[in-house]
């Protein structure tokens, strides 16, 4: 064979971007943190009658889902490899190809599609949003997570990846709209202490949540960060968004009786009167 045909005989180079030791350790550590947080939140609910446990139930479920998802990822489940082909054109020789095989932990998106609606429910109930606005915020949120999952597996060099990402960002703006605009307007009907608390915890949520699409863009999108770096970044955000958020919410709920909501009906059915 002539020298020019050699490149096509050699296999294209493949860059394997996989989880390493630090990533694995981080996944296990966060699993344990989520487990402890779930136990603490469940224990905090024992001191209140069942009718008043809605925030406890929602918040404990959030960390339980996260613990399950982190167990999956730490043991090597809930992960797939995204095969990316990068084509390089040259002037006088045939195009060459580089391949990247990067792990995508899809278990995250399963976690987020269940936990972010529950986090929104916590905030919506605190603000006193009506059912219609809660439903729209949650549906926009689920669209955001699922289109984000499609973006994570989108092909390079087609509108797939960044197209899905853009759609997810629009859905995120709808979520923010419901939380920041409608939530803030609605919470004014509650006591000023509740309004102040909602302002703080919703502001915290907005900052933490907005870091997710930024991490995604740098790590998954542009692949400027290793898989381990991505795991560590999401670990920090997940701890802020779930255990820290939950502890703040439940501790404040315990000392601010104005945050109680009258659920009645199904929630208290058969639980006995006052
Ligand atoms: C993605 C990528 C596509 C664009 C956008 C995203 C937003 C994700 C968010 C995730 C929040 C997760 C939380 C987890 C709890 O622990 C899917 C990353 C907008 C906002 C709060």
């Amino acid at each position: 064979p002539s020298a020019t045909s050699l490149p096509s005989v050699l296999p294209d180079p493949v860059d394997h971007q996989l989880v390493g030791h630090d990533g694995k350790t981080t996944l296990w550590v966060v699993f344990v943190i989520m487990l402890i947080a779930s136990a603490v939140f469940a224990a905090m609910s024992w001191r209140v009658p069942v009718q008043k446990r809605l925030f406890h139930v929602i918040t404990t479920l959030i960390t339980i889902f996260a613990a399950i998802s982190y167990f999956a990822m730490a043991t090597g489940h809930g992960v797939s490899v995204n095969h990316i082909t990068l084509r390089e054109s040259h002037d006088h020789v045939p195009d060459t190809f580089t391949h990247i095989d990067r792990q995508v932990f899809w278990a995250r998106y399963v976690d987020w599609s269940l936990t972010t609606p529950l986090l929104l429910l916590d905030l919506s109930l605190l603000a006193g949003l009506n059912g219609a606005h809660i439903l729209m915020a949650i549906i926009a949120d689920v669209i955001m997570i699922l289109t984000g999952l499609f973006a994570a597996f989108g092909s390079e060099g087609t509108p797939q990846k960044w197209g899905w990402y853009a759609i997810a960002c629009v859905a995120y703006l709808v979520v923010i709209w419901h939380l920041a605009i409608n939530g803030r307007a609605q919470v004014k009907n509650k006591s000023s202490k509740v309004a102040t608390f909602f302002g703080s915890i919703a502001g915290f949520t907005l900052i933490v949540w907005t870091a997710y699409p930024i991490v995604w863009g740098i790590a998954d999108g542009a692949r400027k960060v290793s898989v381990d770096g991505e795991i560590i970044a999401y670990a920090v955000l997940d701890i802020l968004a779930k255990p820290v958020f939950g502890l703040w919410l439940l501790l404040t709920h315990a000392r601010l009786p104005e945050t109680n909501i009258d659920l009645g009906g199904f929630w208290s059915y058969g639980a006995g009167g006052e």
Side-chain angles (χ1 to χ4, degrees):
S2 70
T4 48
S5 66
L6 267 179
S8 61
V9 181
L10 294 170
D12 293 333
V14 181
D15 174 14
H16 296 277
Q17 301 187 355
L18 310 171
V19 61
H21 174 265
D22 293 351
K24 268 246 139 85
T25 309
T26 306
L27 292 171
W28 279 116
V29 169
V30 180
F31 164 65
V32 173
I33 291 174
M34 294 299 177
L35 215 54
I36 294 171
S38 306
V40 169
F41 297 161
M44 286 170 84
S45 77
W46 295 337
R47 285 180 291 151
V48 297
V50 75
Q51 298 95 313
K52 293 185 178 167
R53 280 186 197 166
L54 184 60
F55 284 118
H56 299 80
V57 170
I58 297 172
T59 308
T60 310
L61 285 173
I62 291 167
T63 49
I64 289 177
F65 279 132
I68 292 170
S69 144
Y70 269 92
F71 180 79
M73 295 191 287
T75 58
H77 268 157
V79 60
S80 276
V81 173
N82 195 16
H83 302 281
I84 302 145
T85 303
L86 301 173
R87 186 195 193 112
E88 260 181 71
S89 312
H90 307 281
D91 275 347
H92 301 295
V93 285
D95 292 354
T96 51
F97 298 92
T98 337
H99 302 278
I100 299 173
D101 279 358
R102 187 181 170 103
Q103 280 183 324
V104 175
F105 284 90
W106 53 260
R108 287 191 193 291
Y109 298 86
V110 177
D111 168 340
W112 296 347
S113 67
L114 296 165
T115 56
T116 54
L118 291 173
L119 288 162
L120 287 178
L121 191 58
D122 262 343
L123 289 169
S124 304
L125 292 170
L126 182 66
L129 275 190
N130 59 45
H133 281 134
I134 297 179
L135 189 65
M136 286 188 281
I138 286 179
I139 289 175
D141 177 84
V142 172
I143 291 175
M144 169 185 86
I145 301 297
L146 293 183
T147 52
L149 173 63
F150 291 156
F153 284 102
S155 299
E156 209 81 13
T158 76
Q160 267 181 357
K161 186 157 126 186
W162 295 104
W164 284 125
Y165 182 82
I167 294 171
C169 287
V170 172
Y172 181 46
L173 293 178
V174 176
V175 174
I176 295 177
W177 162 267
H178 280 288
L179 209 73
I181 314 291
N182 292 330
R184 269 226 317 235
Q186 199 62 38
V187 81
K188 296 219 170 77
N189 300 324
K190 300 214 166 189
S191 81
S192 69
K193 277 184 189 157
V194 178
T196 308
F197 173 53
F198 176 78
S200 314
I201 199 164
F204 170 80
T205 302
L206 189 65
I207 293 168
V208 173
W209 284 40
T210 302
Y212 283 85
I214 296 173
V215 168
W216 195 99
I218 297 170
D220 296 71
R223 289 185 306 274
K224 290 219 174 7
V225 175
S226 67
V227 170
D228 278 7
E230 176 187 329
I231 289 173
I232 293 166
Y234 282 135
V236 172
L237 294 179
D238 284 348
I239 290 168
L240 292 173
K242 290 173 171 131
V244 172
F245 170 94
L247 195 64
W248 187 10
L249 177 70
L250 293 184
L251 287 176
T252 310
H253 180 44
R255 64 175 179 76
L256 263 190
E258 298 99 313
T259 55
N260 281 332
I261 37 186
D262 181 17
L263 293 154
F266 162 75
W267 192 259
S268 304
Y269 178 76
E274 295 280 315

